[in-house]
Amino acid sequence: MPEPEGVVHKLYMERELPPKVAEVARLQGEDADRKSLMIEQLRDMIYEKGECIPHRVDDDYLIKFLRARFWNVLHAYNLMVRYYTFRESNPEFYENVNPMSLRSLGDDDIISISPYRDQEGRRVICFKFGKWRPNKIPIVDLFRATMLLLEVGSLEPQSQVLGGIGIMDLEGLSYNHAWNLTPSVAQKMLALLATSMPLRTSQIHIVNQGWMFDTVFQIFKPFLTDKMRQRLFFHGTDRASLHKYIDPEALPERYGGTKPEYPYTYWLEHLSRVEQIVDELQQLGYVSDPLLED
């Protein structure tokens, strides 16, 4: 499926940060004079404590954990332990998963990722859970697609610093959906979005929630920490409320923005053709589609 003219779904892998992002990184604790020392401290901690065995310990890999926890070495280490624990507990989310097999989530318009960034430079991902049909797409595929997005996003230095934004569109949420959202599912969703991945979800915006939302939210409430609650924003159908946080220039028309919406499929097809991304994902246990490799 060719991309529309002038629209580029691309991951920016350059190590050097744009000046504005570099300033944000500095305010978060990234110090060029101490960077190498802190990377080495994290590497030493991994070897000394031995609570996880990462598949890589090179500088680029460790930096994304340090950035995700504002260069606090102990917190970065704890995040790494949680990340590998989550992977070991849920190998079905990535092991021998072909990213292109998840294109149905784009075809059904369940997930979309914008090629545009918000006013702070963050990527915006939209989840339309009301369009999910559990009898057609198993819930494990939702986890696979979300984990894939976060793994790929964590490769991008700018996103490592700025994090990302999620829009949870709950229009059409029904009992059929709620039946599939068990406490175990809620815990895993929060682990992906908040506690166990080396990429921060800076904000989660709930829109178009209806009468079923209260029932579903009760499942999540026991697992929400104060920090998680501070990242949640509820807007209903009030687009002006959403625009206080995300400029309409970065939003699709569906949410009162100015941009068209593009399917998840464009993003997958871009990933499948970038050798560095394919290699990174294969190291993590994913498999590639030989029909789509250059």
Side-chain angles (χ1 to χ4, degrees):
M1 182 188 299
E3 289 182 304
E5 186 175 351
V7 176
V8 180
H9 286 74
K10 181 180 178 182
L11 208 68
Y12 294 90
M13 309 284 283
E14 296 82 2
R15 286 191 180 94
E16 186 174 353
L17 298 169
K20 289 184 178 179
V21 181
E23 175 60 16
V24 173
R26 186 187 69 78
L27 294 172
Q28 292 177 352
E30 189 162 332
D31 182 345
D33 294 332
R34 301 185 66 240
K35 192 172 184 177
S36 294
L37 173 63
M38 297 175 85
I39 292 169
E40 196 58 38
Q41 286 177 343
L42 176 56
R43 189 179 289 117
D44 289 345
M45 193 174 290
I46 293 166
Y47 291 140
E48 289 168 7
K49 290 181 175 288
E51 294 177 278
C52 66
I53 304 176
H55 68 287
R56 289 170 53 186
V57 289
D58 57 276
D59 287 5
D60 285 343
Y61 189 67
L62 298 185
I63 281 173
K64 70 180 183 179
F65 287 89
L66 287 161
R67 282 175 170 159
R69 289 300 178 265
F70 303 110
W71 292 85
N72 181 306
V73 175
L74 178 58
H75 291 176
Y77 171 77
N78 289 337
L79 171 62
M80 179 174 281
V81 172
R82 288 195 301 272
Y83 169 72
Y84 279 97
T85 299
F86 185 83
R87 281 175 56 84
E88 289 168 10
S89 300
N90 302 281
E92 69 277 12
F93 292 171
Y94 63 89
E95 206 166 75
N96 295 318
V97 171
N98 184 337
M100 294 308 296
S101 70
L102 302 172
R103 63 166 62 240
S104 60
L105 282 89
D107 294 341
D108 285 10
D109 196 27
I110 299 167
I111 296 179
S112 60
I113 179 165
S114 174
Y116 311 105
R117 296 176 185 268
D118 81 340
Q119 68 276 9
E120 304 295 335
R122 298 170 294 197
R123 292 197 179 276
V124 180
I125 303 173
C126 299
F127 297 85
K128 305 175 202 73
F129 287 112
K131 295 194 174 187
W132 168 46
R133 298 294 174 262
N135 61 342
K136 178 182 177 183
I137 297 174
I139 196 166
V140 69
D141 278 1
L142 295 184
F143 280 113
R144 287 168 175 164
T146 303
M147 189 167 186
L148 175 67
L149 282 173
L150 295 172
E151 290 284 18
V152 171
S154 76
L155 301 176
E156 190 175 44
Q158 181 167 336
S159 292
Q160 292 170 5
V161 173
L162 300 175
I165 292 179
I167 295 178
M168 305 297 180
D169 187 340
L170 303 185
E171 183 177 5
L173 199 70
S174 68
Y175 276 121
N176 192 27
H177 299 107
W179 184 257
N180 287 272
L181 297 176
T182 65
S184 173
V185 166
Q187 281 184 302
K188 289 177 182 180
M189 284 186 175
L190 292 174
L192 275 177
L193 294 174
T195 64
S196 300
M197 295 295 291
L199 184 69
R200 292 191 309 278
T201 304
S202 304
Q203 299 172 2
I204 296 177
H205 296 274
I206 311 296
V207 301
N208 297 330
Q209 67 268 34
W211 61 273
M212 178 54 64
F213 173 70
D214 287 341
T215 299
V216 171
F217 193 55
Q218 293 305 316
I219 302 170
F220 285 82
K221 263 188 175 180
F223 308 113
L224 293 174
T225 65
D226 288 341
K227 282 188 177 180
M228 291 179 193
R229 291 172 188 269
Q230 290 168 11
R231 299 178 200 171
L232 283 174
F233 303 89
F234 304 92
H235 306 287
T237 57
D238 186 347
R239 299 297 180 248
S241 174
L242 178 63
H243 297 167
K244 291 177 183 176
Y245 300 91
I246 309 175
D247 193 295
E249 288 294 319
L251 287 170
E253 296 169 359
R254 171 198 304 266
Y255 305 119
T258 63
K259 296 291 192 291
E261 197 164 4
Y262 301 101
Y264 184 58
T265 314
Y266 285 138
W267 184 250
L268 289 175
E269 289 181 354
H270 164 68
L271 301 185
S272 72
R273 291 180 169 87
V274 180
E275 185 175 351
Q276 182 180 354
I277 297 173
V278 171
D279 180 62
E280 294 269 6
L281 291 177
Q282 287 177 339
Q283 290 182 47
L284 290 168
Y286 293 90
V287 297
S288 59
D289 189 335
L291 297 176
L292 291 169
E293 291 181 3
D294 292 332

